[in-house]
Amino acid sequence: MTLPEQSSGPRRLFDRTLLRQRRNRLTGAPAAEFLFQEAGTRLAERLADVRRRFQTALLLGARAGWLLGHLPPGQIETLVQADLAQGLIQEAAGPRLVLDEEALPFGPERFDLILACASLHWVNDLPGTLAQIRYALRPDGLFLAAMPGGRTLQELRQVLLQAEAEVTGGAAPRVAPLVELRDAGGLLQRAGFALPIADLETLTVTYREPLRLLADLRAMGETSCLADRPRAPMRRAVLARALALYRELHGDAAGRVPATFELVMLSGWKPDPSQPKAARRGSAAASLANAFGLPPEA
């Protein structure tokens, strides 16, 4: 399937054509999939806590399809695996689809469950994509997602900005902005989800040297796809200074350096009359003042 090129319009933050090209060159090698495996493991755990069987489900960010074998057995009758990159998804088993998360090709009420495994952080209009997901869910359908959070790669972001400022006198952003936990729940509400929940898990990966982190990001297809990224390669002096700063500012006694990855976990339901609702204000049968032995209000 050939995806259409993005239409002209307002300037966008991310270059999704470049993202697709980079992902299509990946092989799905498991050594560089640790972030997606962590996100998928946590999604599978959250799904296992839901005591429900889902007839039709969609997985966004399926990559090479490894998550299929980790989902709770018997909980999903039919799973459609989808990814932006045909080069990755062609390795997946079962029903699969190449699609762009910014333009989901589904009519209303097609799925009982939609999962997104670390696939929405390169979306330009995240509220719009969340609204499309809600549209594609059946009433009382469930949406679960894991996506990198705002403190992801905070060490790398710091040293790249500092090194470039020192060497060149200016600095361009080279690590993409990511959603903050404080905003995530509001995004779900804005998109029309009921019972929204957003929480955070943090993963710290330790490297013998920071250059190994950069190699992993390339192998994941997670290097910068900012539309306004510098087109010229990073100067060697800037890179050398950034690597030195990484060791100086973040290295331990053995010379190893940490890399922080945050996972924002999202959960929301397509509204349905059967769902629990907050009690009407003033409908309580007992008084908190009486319970705590306080005098009643005048």
Side-chain angles (χ1 to χ4, degrees):
M1 176 184 297
T2 301
L3 291 173
E5 295 297 323
Q6 294 186 24
S7 60
S8 60
R11 184 170 58 88
R12 296 195 157 196
L13 182 60
F14 303 123
D15 183 344
R16 290 183 61 80
T17 299
L18 175 63
L19 176 65
R20 185 191 313 152
Q21 291 170 348
R22 287 179 175 171
R23 295 279 173 86
N24 276 326
R25 292 196 291 265
L26 301 181
T27 62
E33 292 288 286
F34 68 86
L35 179 62
F36 303 95
Q37 291 172 356
E38 290 290 338
T41 297
R42 285 159 173 74
L43 276 179
E45 291 172 350
R46 303 296 174 95
L47 183 59
D49 290 336
V50 180
R51 304 303 180 189
R52 181 181 297 190
R53 179 176 172 82
F54 298 94
Q55 181 179 357
T56 306
L58 171 69
L59 171 59
L60 300 172
R63 294 178 77 89
W66 59 267
L67 182 56
L68 179 61
H70 294 79
L71 294 174
Q75 194 168 8
I76 298 173
E77 184 174 327
T78 301
L79 176 67
V80 178
Q81 300 184 86
D83 200 274
L84 177 68
Q86 184 173 359
L88 281 176
I89 196 65
Q90 66 185 2
E91 301 181 30
R96 57 191 186 272
L97 179 66
V98 179
L99 57 72
D100 189 334
E101 294 93 343
E102 293 191 341
L104 298 181
F106 306 112
E109 303 181 5
R110 298 293 301 273
F111 299 98
D112 303 298
L113 168 69
I114 296 180
L115 305 166
C117 184
S119 65
L120 300 182
H121 56 294
W122 292 114
V123 168
N124 285 288
D125 179 13
L126 183 54
T129 293
L130 292 176
Q132 291 184 62
I133 289 172
R134 182 184 59 81
Y135 178 75
L137 281 169
R138 297 188 178 105
D140 204 31
L142 175 62
F143 169 59
L144 289 175
M147 57 189 302
R151 292 176 60 247
T152 295
L153 299 176
Q154 60 179 358
E155 302 89 355
L156 181 62
R157 189 190 309 269
Q158 175 194 8
V159 300
L160 287 176
L161 286 171
Q162 184 173 336
E164 194 162 21
E166 289 182 10
V167 174
T168 69
R174 296 183 181 273
V175 179
L178 296 165
V179 68
E180 298 285 350
L181 177 64
R182 63 177 178 269
D183 301 321
L187 289 172
L188 288 173
Q189 289 182 315
R190 178 179 170 185
F193 283 97
L195 309 173
I197 297 175
D199 60 273
L200 189 68
E201 299 193 21
T202 302
L203 170 69
T204 302
V205 180
T206 305
Y207 288 90
R208 288 198 181 95
E209 58 172 286
L211 195 61
R212 185 64 250 173
L213 167 63
L214 300 182
D216 273 358
L217 293 175
R218 283 193 297 271
M220 293 179 194
E222 287 295 314
T223 50
S224 177
C225 288
L226 288 166
D228 289 338
R229 68 195 179 280
R231 294 306 194 263
M234 181 182 294
R235 291 169 54 176
R236 291 186 177 182
V238 173
L239 178 59
R241 180 56 182 151
L243 297 177
L245 281 171
Y246 210 133
R247 298 186 190 93
E248 292 171 16
L249 298 176
H250 303 290
D252 61 17
R256 299 178 67 88
V257 296
T260 299
F261 294 90
E262 280 188 343
L263 285 174
V264 175
M265 308 298 299
L266 302 177
S267 172
W269 296 82
K270 177 77 169 279
D272 184 76
S274 66
Q275 292 166 350
K277 297 177 178 60
R280 178 174 54 84
R281 183 177 178 84
S283 63
S287 167
L288 283 177
N290 290 339
F292 287 100
L294 300 176
E297 294 184 4

